[in-house]
Amino acid sequence: MTTLFTSAELHKAIVLLASPPLVRLITEIDDNGAIPPRRLAGILHDLSPHHLRCAVETGRGHGLVRSVPGVGLELTEAGSALADLYDATARWARRHNCPEPVSDFGSRVRHTFDLLTASLATEQAERLASPSTGSLPGSGRERDLDLLRDLLIQWLTSNPQVTALPEPEPAA
């Protein structure tokens, strides 16, 4: 049995994880190793200073990246696992020509995460309505998407800091 997340938690997590600047930052570090602080803007030149700053702050705030003196910005264990999830989603999208036969890595990740969001919301609603032991077999595409959904749930369960909603401010 998987952990149930509220719709708001899922939405927040997917929006955060599918953020183009965050996808770009995580995959760059995963592909090429730690980024020295002074090289960040040059290496990620396609991101505006604002988007770069937001991606770094988001990554640090959610435990995905950390600064190591003398090394630079590197992935944490959670960030490395997220990079693996990004790779799996992009491979699925490429195999199924999503969103288009020719698409960039970030577009493939975002599109697949959108599909996973709908799949997760449906699964959550079905489980709340009537718990079952499993789903019926579907097409290869659907089975592969189910596997990705399971990977995402596993990642989210292992990284609750991403799904946690901020506590409401007390009324004055």
Side-chain angles (χ1 to χ4, degrees):
M1 179 165 177
T2 59
T3 303
L4 291 178
F5 300 101
T6 67
S7 295
E9 289 170 333
L10 285 173
H11 179 74
K12 174 191 178 278
I14 297 298
V15 166
L16 179 130
L17 296 176
S19 160
L22 185 65
V23 171
R24 181 78 174 88
L25 176 66
I26 297 294
T27 56
E28 181 65 36
I29 297 171
D30 182 55
D31 290 346
N32 299 302
I35 302 174
R38 295 188 184 268
R39 305 252 353 259
L40 201 54
I43 290 172
L44 298 171
H45 58 84
D46 53 324
L47 297 179
S48 71
H50 170 73
H51 285 128
L52 184 56
R53 185 174 45 261
C54 287
V56 171
E57 288 173 3
T58 298
R60 280 187 183 136
H62 289 89
L64 306 173
V65 298
R66 66 176 163 244
S67 293
V68 177
V71 175
L73 200 60
E74 69 177 19
L75 295 178
T76 62
E77 189 175 320
S80 184
L82 178 59
D84 291 344
L85 179 60
Y86 285 162
D87 287 342
T89 60
R91 277 193 308 275
W92 179 89
R94 185 175 49 248
R95 189 169 40 254
H96 296 287
N97 295 320
C98 294
E100 300 291 332
V102 177
S103 300
D104 64 47
F105 183 89
S107 296
R108 290 175 198 245
V109 169
R110 287 186 302 281
H111 178 79
T112 306
F113 272 38
D114 286 345
L115 293 175
L116 290 171
T117 300
S119 174
L120 283 167
T122 300
E123 177 194 26
Q124 299 285 8
E126 288 172 356
R127 281 188 189 200
L128 291 173
S130 62
S132 67
T133 58
S135 59
L136 297 173
S139 70
R141 176 184 163 119
E142 291 166 348
R143 281 191 306 270
D144 289 350
L145 194 59
D146 286 346
L147 292 173
L148 282 178
R149 185 187 67 219
D150 292 345
L151 287 174
L152 177 60
I153 290 170
Q154 186 177 34
W155 191 90
L156 290 171
T157 301
S158 298
N159 296 282
Q161 74 278 8
V162 175
T163 57
L165 293 172
E167 293 295 320
E169 294 290 322

